[in-house]
Amino acid sequence: MQFHGLLLTALLGVAYTSPLHAHAATADSAREQDILARSFSRGAPLPQWAQALAEIPTTQREDPLVVRLAETQSYAGATQATLINRAVQVNDRNMLDRIGQLSLTYYPDYQKLKLHRLTILRDDKQLDHTRTVNARLLQREQALEQGMYTGASTVQLLVEDVRLGDTLWLTYSTEGSNPVFGNRLTEDYTWDSADPVELRRLTVFYPPQRPVRWQQFGDFRTDAVSPKVDDYNGMKRLRFEARGLEALEYEGGIPAEYFPARFLQFSEYRDWNEVARWATGLFPEPKTTPALAALVKQFNAEATPAARAAAALRWVQNEVRYFSVSIGENSHKPQDPNVVIKRRYGDCKDKTYLLVTLLRAMGITAHPLLVSAQAPRLPGRMMASPTLFDHVIVQLQVDGKTYHVDPTRTGQPSPLDKLSLPLPGAKGLLVAADTTALSTLPERDNNAIRFERDERVVIQSFDGDATLETNETFSDSHAESARLNFPSMSRTEFKRDLLAIYEKQYPGITLAADPEYRDDVANNRFYLKARFKLPKPLQQKDGRYRIEYDSSIISGSLGIPDKIVRNYPLQLARGAFTARYRLRLQWPDSVRLNKDPQNTTLDTPYFRAAEEYSVRGNSMDYLLDYQVKVDSVAAKDVPDLQQQAKQLTNYTSGNFNVDGHFAKQPRDGKLSMRALDGESTSQDARQVVSLAAKTRPSSEEDIATLCHALLTVNQLKDSKAVRSQVQAVESLVRQFRKSVAAQRCQARALLEDARFAESVAAHEKAGALDDDDSDMPDLAWARYYAGDTDKALQDMARYSQAMREENGALPGFVAVNQLALLKLAGRDIPADALQYARQLPDGPWPRPLLGMQAGLITPETLLAQLQSLPADERDLALSEAWYYIGLQRLAEQKPEEARKAFQWVADNGMPSYEETVQARIQLRRLGQ
C-alpha cells in the first residue's frame, strides 16, 4: 500500500521481472504443477459481475513507457474479486522487459487467478498470446531469508516477440480473499503512477446495505478524485475516472508516512472499536498445559512482578526463534501458545500471544498491540482498517507503570524500565473489546546520548610514536545491537573492524592489546575499550606540529542527496539521534599553554553541534555533542539544510596544533605555571603603562587597556596595597574626566577595594551597560555585596542570556559564575543549568565545577580529581576550584572555611586569573 518507489507495479497490479534465474526450474515440481492446475487458468471468460471493459485510448506520447489504460474493477459481493485490465505501450528498447516478462502474485490457499487476455497490439494487429504464453509457477518467498513464509505464489509469464512500439494488453482477475477478514472489504487503490497514464478508471461494486466507506489520501498531488455513483445489477457502483495523468517523479529518501501519489482507501470497518473487536477474536484464552504451567512457575520465582515480566520476555525472545508461517488466515491469526512452546519458533503474533498468555497467568495485565513497523505513524492518518498493521507487540502494566515490549527483539536482558522503546511515537491499536481509539506509543528522548566515543592520545615526543586509547559507550537500542554484534564476531573480525576505523587517519596503526568489551545489563549499556599504537602521528607544516582527528559521529548522519530541489520531504539517513565525541590529547612535556576554555555551537532547525575546548599546560580536552533534531525535512527546506550542513565541516574533523618552538626548547622545570603566568602578565602590563607614559591614550579602547594595566601592575606590586591602585585610577579619571572607559575603570577599582556601593554608583554614572558588556558581572557582584540581590541576579541573568545568544550556548565559566551567585542568594539552580551539569560532571573544564555546584560531586572529590592531573593543568584548575569552593562555603554559612579557600587562591592562584582578584576582594570583605 505504500508508494515509496512509485513503481508501475502499484498501478498495474503486476510485477515486471528480470530474466529467469536457474531456480525457476523448481516450478516443474509435481506439487507446484498441481497448485497451478487447481488455482490458475487461462482463456476464461470475464467474470459475470464485471461491467464492460473500457476502450483503450490512443496516445501521441513519446515517453519510454506509456500506460494507455489502467482499469481496475473491484467486487465486494459474497466472494471478493478484482479484475485488472491494462494496456502498456513501449517506446524505448530499454523498456521491452516491462512487457516481455511479467509476474502475477496471488495466494493459492484462498485465491484463484484467471488470465483472460494477453495480447500484443502491433500496428492494426492483435497478436493473442493468452493460451500460448509460457507460464510457470514460482513459489518464491521474497522474505524467506528473513524467516517469513506467506504462501504467496507467482505466475511468471514470458512473452515472446515483443518489439518497439508494441502495446501489451493484459486482463486478468483474482477471486477470493483472506478468510481472516471475514469477507469484509478493506482495500487501497493507487491513483497516480511513475509513468504517464492516458485513462485511469476504478470501479468498485458492493451491496448497498453494507457500510463501505472511502477516503482519498495523497500529500503531493491533492486534486480531488470524485466518483460517479449509481446502481448496477443490484450493487452500488462507484466509478472513478481521469484522463491524461502525468507521471510522478521518483525521489529517494521519502518518509514512510508521506504519499506522493493519491490513493483511495476503502474500508467496511466503521471505527477502531470494530477493528479491535475483530482482533480480539484472534487471541482467545488458550488452554493451560503442563509445559505452559511449568514456565509460569519458573518466572514466578522472580522476586518482583517487574522481574517476572522481564524473565518471561527474555524467554520468549531468546528461546523461541523467529520464523513466520503466514499462510491464509495465519497471516493475522497466531498459533496457539502451547504449539509455539513445542515448536520453539513463531513470528510476532505467535510470540506476542505466548508472552501475553504467560503474563496474564502471573496476574500481570497484558494485551497485544497492533502497530505498523514499516510506517509507525501511518494508522493515525487513515480510516479504521486491520490491514494497516504489519506487526504486533505487547503492552503490559506493572506496579502502576505501562511498558511496551517487542517479543521478536533480542539483546534485551535489561530490566523493563531500561529497555529501548519499540517504534517511538507509533500509533497502535490495543487488542481489547473496549478499545475505541488508537493509542500513541511513548516518544524517544532525543536528548539522551546513545553513542559516545572517547579517545585519549598521549604523545611523548614530537618525532616519536604515540598511544591511542578508545572507549566507546553504547546505550539504549545501540547497546542492544552492540551486545548482539560484538560477541558474535571472531577475534580476527573484531580486530579488523576496530583498525578500519582509524587506518586512513593514522597509517600503520596497530593494536597494542586485545580489545575488551563489558556489558552493563542493569543499565542497558555496552562498553568497548581498545588500545592502539600510532606510528609518528604528528605532521609538521608552516612551523607548527599538528595531529588530525575525526569525530566519526557526523559523517553520513544526514544523507543529503545530490539533487536538493525536491518535490517530497527528505527522510534523514539516521533519523533523530544524539551522539558524543571526546578527544583528550597530551602533548610532550615541553608544551606549556594557558588558554581560557572555549565553546562554539551551531544550532539549526535540523541539527545542533556544540563543542567545548580546553587547553591547560600540555593537556587538551575537546568535547563535541551532536544532535540531529528531526527525522525528516520538508522539501522546501532541503536546500537550506544543505547550506547549513556545509558549516558542519568544521565539526566533523580537523586537527589540533602547537607552535614548533615547543619542540626546540626543553621544559623549564624551575618555573611553576604560576610563576610563568605572573612573569608574562607583569611584563605585558608594564609595557602598556610604559607606552602610555610616552604616548597619551587617544581612544576609549586605549584608556580601557591602560586602566587594566594599572590595576594589574599594582596588584602584582603589592597585593595588599589596593589603595595605591585606586589612587592611580582616580588620577586617570581626572585626566579623562569625560571618558566612560575611565569611569568604568574606577568602578572596577572600587570593587577591588570592597567599596561595593561606590562601585555601583560609578557604574551608574558611566551609563547603562549593554547586556553583553564584560563589565556586567562586576556590576552584578557589586550590587549583591551592596545588598541589592534582586538587581544583581537580574544583571547576571541578562549577561548570561546575551552570552548564550552570542555563542549559541552558555559559556562554561559564565554558567559557573551565575550559579555561584544564585547559590549565595539562596535561589534554586535553573533546570536547564542543572541538566547541563548532570550530563558530564567529569567533562572538559569547567564542567567539574558545575558538577560541584549542582551537588553531583563534593569539593573534596573535586580536589582529589584535580590532584591526578599533570602539574600545569592541575595548578591552573586549582586556582579556579578553590575560589568557587570558597563561594560554596559562604553559601553554606561556613565563613572560616571560605576564608581558608580564598586565602589559598590569594597565595597560590594564577596572578592573571579573575578568580585570584575576586578571592582577594572576598578576603577584604570578610575582614571588614
Side-chain angles (χ1 to χ4, degrees):
M1 197 270 296
Q2 298 174 55
F3 199 68
H4 295 254
L6 305 176
L7 296 175
L8 189 62
T9 304
L11 187 57
L12 296 188
V14 56
Y16 299 95
T17 66
S18 24
L20 290 174
H21 296 283
H23 64 250
T26 58
D28 293 331
S29 69
R31 178 177 179 276
E32 290 172 348
Q33 288 299 320
D34 179 62
I35 294 174
L36 194 65
R38 287 187 291 104
S39 61
F40 172 70
S41 62
R42 61 173 94 196
L46 295 177
Q48 292 184 355
W49 55 264
Q51 65 182 14
L53 300 180
E55 292 187 4
I56 301 174
T58 60
T59 183
Q60 302 301 317
R61 294 178 182 267
E62 297 180 353
D63 300 77
L65 188 144
V66 180
V67 182
R68 294 171 60 184
L69 173 65
E71 181 181 15
T72 305
Q73 297 186 31
S74 182
Y75 180 77
T79 299
Q80 291 189 30
T82 301
L83 173 70
I84 307 295
N85 184 36
R86 303 290 186 259
V88 181
Q89 178 175 312
V90 170
N91 299 322
D92 187 293
R93 294 188 185 279
N94 293 323
M95 293 291 169
L96 287 175
D97 281 351
R98 299 279 294 273
I99 65 171
Q101 294 157 220
L102 315 172
S103 295
L104 309 181
T105 298
Y106 70 113
Y107 296 86
D109 285 271
Y110 55 80
Q111 283 185 328
K112 293 184 182 301
L113 173 64
K114 298 180 180 180
L115 178 64
H116 304 291
R117 178 187 293 106
L118 197 159
T119 297
I120 296 296
L121 306 181
R122 182 178 299 157
D123 300 325
D124 57 349
K125 300 177 183 178
Q126 294 189 12
L127 309 176
D128 188 0
H129 293 263
T130 307
R131 296 187 178 278
T132 59
V133 63
N134 187 329
R136 289 190 173 188
L137 181 73
L138 304 180
Q139 287 192 294
R140 295 184 303 173
E141 289 289 344
Q142 300 297 326
L144 190 60
E145 291 183 358
Q146 287 76 45
M148 297 181 66
Y149 185 77
T150 64
S153 292
T154 297
V155 173
Q156 188 171 50
L157 305 175
L158 181 61
V159 186
E160 297 181 355
D161 188 22
V162 291
R163 306 179 187 179
L164 194 66
D166 284 355
T167 293
L168 169 72
W169 183 9
L170 175 69
T171 307
Y172 69 95
S173 65
T174 57
E175 180 181 307
S177 60
N178 193 330
V180 76
F181 299 120
N183 203 39
R184 300 179 82 169
L185 178 63
T186 170
E187 288 289 348
D188 308 312
Y189 304 96
T190 301
W191 192 251
D192 298 296
S193 168
D195 299 300
V197 180
E198 293 290 8
L199 174 59
R200 175 72 173 113
R201 179 183 289 177
L202 167 65
T203 308
V204 180
F205 307 91
Y206 61 88
Q209 69 274 13
R210 287 170 64 172
V212 175
R213 301 178 301 135
W214 73 275
Q215 188 172 343
Q216 176 183 328
F217 295 90
D219 297 313
F220 179 68
R221 288 188 178 170
T222 58
D223 294 345
V225 180
S226 301
K228 178 182 177 181
V229 183
D230 59 10
D231 294 327
Y232 182 83
N233 291 339
M235 303 288 279
K236 191 170 184 177
R237 178 172 65 176
L238 277 67
R239 190 171 78 177
F240 304 81
E241 185 173 303
R243 293 180 181 270
L245 295 178
E246 297 299 327
L248 271 175
E249 182 180 355
Y250 170 75
E251 293 176 353
I254 303 173
E257 289 87 0
Y258 183 87
F259 299 106
R262 292 167 290 180
F263 69 93
L264 306 176
Q265 181 193 10
F266 281 75
S267 178
E268 204 170 338
Y269 292 83
R270 293 184 177 87
D271 52 35
W272 288 114
N273 179 254
E274 284 198 0
V275 180
R277 285 190 284 113
W278 162 82
T280 302
L282 303 176
F283 298 89
E285 188 71 25
K287 295 181 179 179
T288 301
T289 62
L292 189 63
L295 287 175
V296 172
K297 182 179 180 181
Q298 174 184 330
F299 305 141
N300 267 330
E302 300 290 337
T304 65
R308 294 167 201 149
L313 172 65
R314 285 195 298 272
W315 193 92
V316 174
Q317 288 178 330
N318 299 329
E319 298 299 326
V320 179
R321 79 179 192 276
Y322 185 91
F323 189 82
S324 176
V325 180
S326 300
I327 301 175
E329 65 179 6
N330 287 119
S331 63
H332 291 72
K333 183 178 181 180
Q335 297 290 339
D336 185 278
N338 296 291
V339 173
V340 176
I341 293 174
K342 180 180 178 181
R343 291 177 174 173
R344 292 293 182 99
Y345 71 76
D347 60 13
C348 63
K349 58 186 179 294
D350 303 325
K351 286 174 160 250
T352 288
Y353 193 12
L354 172 57
L355 179 58
V356 167
T357 300
L358 292 169
L359 294 173
R360 288 175 176 175
M362 293 186 289
I364 297 172
T365 301
H367 293 88
L369 185 74
L370 304 181
V371 292
S372 170
Q374 295 292 325
R377 301 174 194 268
L378 175 63
R381 300 184 56 189
M382 309 289 286
M383 295 190 302
S385 170
T387 58
L388 297 173
F389 307 105
D390 60 10
H391 192 48
V392 58
I393 60 175
V394 176
Q395 176 177 299
L396 64 147
Q397 283 81 36
V398 175
D399 298 330
K401 296 181 180 179
T402 299
Y403 298 96
H404 298 90
V405 297
D406 188 341
T408 67
R409 290 189 178 183
T410 52
Q412 290 191 317
S414 303
L416 292 178
D417 61 350
K418 298 296 183 180
L419 298 180
S420 65
L421 297 172
L423 303 174
K427 296 291 185 179
L429 185 71
L430 193 70
V431 180
D434 57 353
T435 295
T436 59
L438 297 174
S439 56
T440 302
L441 273 67
E443 293 281 2
R444 176 187 290 120
D445 178 10
N446 285 331
N447 292 317
I449 297 172
R450 289 177 171 77
F451 174 74
E452 301 177 53
R453 173 169 288 160
D454 188 325
E455 299 176 348
R456 295 172 183 259
V457 178
V458 177
I459 306 170
Q460 298 290 349
S461 64
F462 286 94
D463 58 355
D465 296 340
T467 60
L468 165 66
E469 180 179 302
T470 65
N471 288 273
E472 296 183 0
T473 303
F474 304 83
S475 303
D476 197 67
S477 58
H478 287 59
E480 293 162 5
S481 297
R483 69 169 53 97
L484 291 175
N485 182 41
F486 291 119
S488 66
M489 299 172 68
S490 69
R491 301 300 295 180
T492 301
E493 291 174 322
F494 197 10
K495 294 178 180 180
R496 180 198 64 200
D497 287 1
L498 283 174
L499 287 169
I501 298 173
Y502 296 103
E503 284 173 338
K504 289 183 180 180
Q505 185 176 344
Y506 303 118
I509 185 174
T510 57
L511 278 163
D514 284 344
E516 305 171 2
Y517 57 78
R518 178 171 63 87
D519 194 355
D520 180 3
V521 170
N523 294 294
N524 200 12
R525 291 182 178 174
F526 192 91
Y527 301 94
L528 176 62
K529 180 178 181 179
R531 293 184 67 251
F532 304 88
K533 180 180 178 181
L534 309 182
K536 298 183 178 180
L538 293 184
Q539 303 173 20
Q540 189 175 11
K541 184 177 181 181
D542 299 329
R544 302 188 69 83
Y545 284 92
R546 70 178 189 181
I547 185 169
E548 296 183 346
Y549 74 94
D550 187 336
S551 70
S552 76
I553 61 175
I554 295 179
S555 297
S557 63
L558 301 178
I560 301 175
D562 293 335
K563 187 178 186 307
I564 60 174
V565 178
R566 294 171 59 91
N567 294 315
Y568 320 133
L570 174 67
Q571 176 72 37
L572 299 185
R574 297 182 195 167
F577 80 102
T578 302
R580 169 173 288 161
Y581 171 75
R582 189 176 184 183
L583 171 62
R584 282 173 273 194
L585 175 62
Q586 186 172 321
W587 294 98
D589 287 346
S590 59
V591 176
R592 307 190 75 181
L593 297 169
N594 183 7
K595 297 182 179 180
D596 288 336
Q598 301 174 6
N599 61 345
T600 59
T601 300
L602 174 61
D603 200 355
T604 75
Y606 323 107
F607 56 80
R608 182 177 187 271
E611 62 180 6
E612 301 173 30
Y613 174 63
S614 174
V615 180
R616 300 293 183 91
N618 68 331
S619 299
M620 188 280 300
D621 198 344
Y622 173 78
L623 178 73
L624 171 66
D625 281 344
Y626 177 62
Q627 178 184 40
V628 178
K629 299 179 179 180
V630 294
D631 292 315
S632 62
V633 175
K636 65 180 180 60
D637 294 327
V638 174
D640 183 54
L641 167 67
Q642 194 265 345
Q643 287 297 318
Q644 300 278 13
K646 290 180 179 179
Q647 302 177 71
L648 279 175
T649 303
N650 295 330
Y651 296 83
T652 303
S653 59
N655 68 82
F656 293 104
N657 57 82
V658 295
D659 196 290
H661 80 268
F662 286 114
K664 301 175 182 178
Q665 60 184 34
R667 175 186 174 91
D668 187 353
K670 296 180 180 180
L671 290 178
S672 67
M673 182 58 80
R674 182 174 187 272
L676 286 174
D677 180 70
E679 183 179 288
S680 174
T681 303
S682 176
Q683 183 178 352
D684 292 344
R686 292 181 190 282
Q687 286 179 355
V688 172
V689 174
S690 176
L691 181 62
K694 300 175 183 177
T695 306
R696 181 181 175 87
S698 59
S699 67
E700 289 290 293
E701 183 179 353
D702 289 344
I703 295 171
T705 302
L706 176 58
C707 171
H708 177 73
L710 284 170
L711 292 175
T712 302
V713 167
N714 282 286
Q715 281 274 351
L716 293 170
K717 181 179 180 182
D718 184 357
S719 62
K720 297 181 181 179
V722 183
R723 290 290 179 186
S724 63
Q725 69 185 38
V726 175
Q727 293 169 3
V729 170
E730 287 175 346
S731 174
L732 181 68
V733 173
R734 285 194 296 270
Q735 291 182 41
F736 302 96
R737 196 175 302 275
K738 295 182 179 180
S739 168
V740 173
Q743 293 169 359
R744 297 286 184 218
C745 183
Q746 183 181 32
R748 171 68 181 195
L750 291 167
L751 173 65
E752 294 187 15
D753 198 24
R755 292 155 64 180
F756 304 116
E758 294 177 64
S759 178
V760 172
H763 273 298
E764 293 176 343
K765 181 179 178 181
L769 288 169
D770 292 335
D771 288 355
D772 62 350
D773 196 300
S774 59
D775 287 333
M776 185 66 84
D778 280 358
L779 177 57
W781 282 109
R783 287 194 194 280
Y784 174 73
Y785 291 127
D788 195 346
T789 301
D790 289 339
K791 280 191 176 181
L793 293 172
Q794 291 170 13
D795 288 343
M796 190 67 80
R798 286 166 50 204
Y799 179 70
S800 297
Q801 182 59 31
M803 292 296 98
R804 187 193 305 274
E805 294 173 359
E806 181 178 314
N807 293 276
L810 190 61
F813 272 111
V814 175
V816 170
N817 207 23
Q818 184 183 20
L819 263 61
L821 183 57
L822 284 166
K823 290 176 72 70
L824 278 174
R827 306 296 172 85
D828 292 333
I829 298 177
D832 59 342
L834 195 59
Q835 180 183 6
Y836 177 78
R838 286 173 173 166
Q839 283 181 355
L840 197 63
D842 63 342
W845 194 258
R847 276 187 183 251
L849 285 178
L850 286 166
M852 180 192 71
Q853 291 175 317
L856 303 177
I857 57 176
T858 65
E860 291 75 19
T861 300
L862 174 63
L863 293 172
Q865 291 176 352
L866 298 184
Q867 290 298 329
S868 65
L869 299 176
D872 288 349
E873 183 182 5
R874 177 195 64 217
D875 292 345
L876 294 168
L878 285 173
S879 295
E880 296 147 337
W882 274 111
Y883 169 68
Y884 286 103
I885 288 173
L887 292 182
Q888 180 117 326
R889 297 309 188 202
L890 284 180
E892 296 168 352
Q893 303 297 316
K894 299 176 180 178
E896 286 305 315
E897 292 187 34
R899 188 193 307 275
K900 292 178 182 179
F902 295 136
Q903 191 63 58
W904 191 99
V905 180
D907 294 341
N908 304 287
M910 298 295 123
S912 67
Y913 275 23
E914 177 67 11
E915 287 80 9
T916 304
V917 178
Q918 291 291 340
R920 291 175 179 144
I921 294 173
Q922 292 293 345
L923 289 172
R924 290 185 62 81
R925 175 175 166 270
L926 291 173
Q928 290 177 351

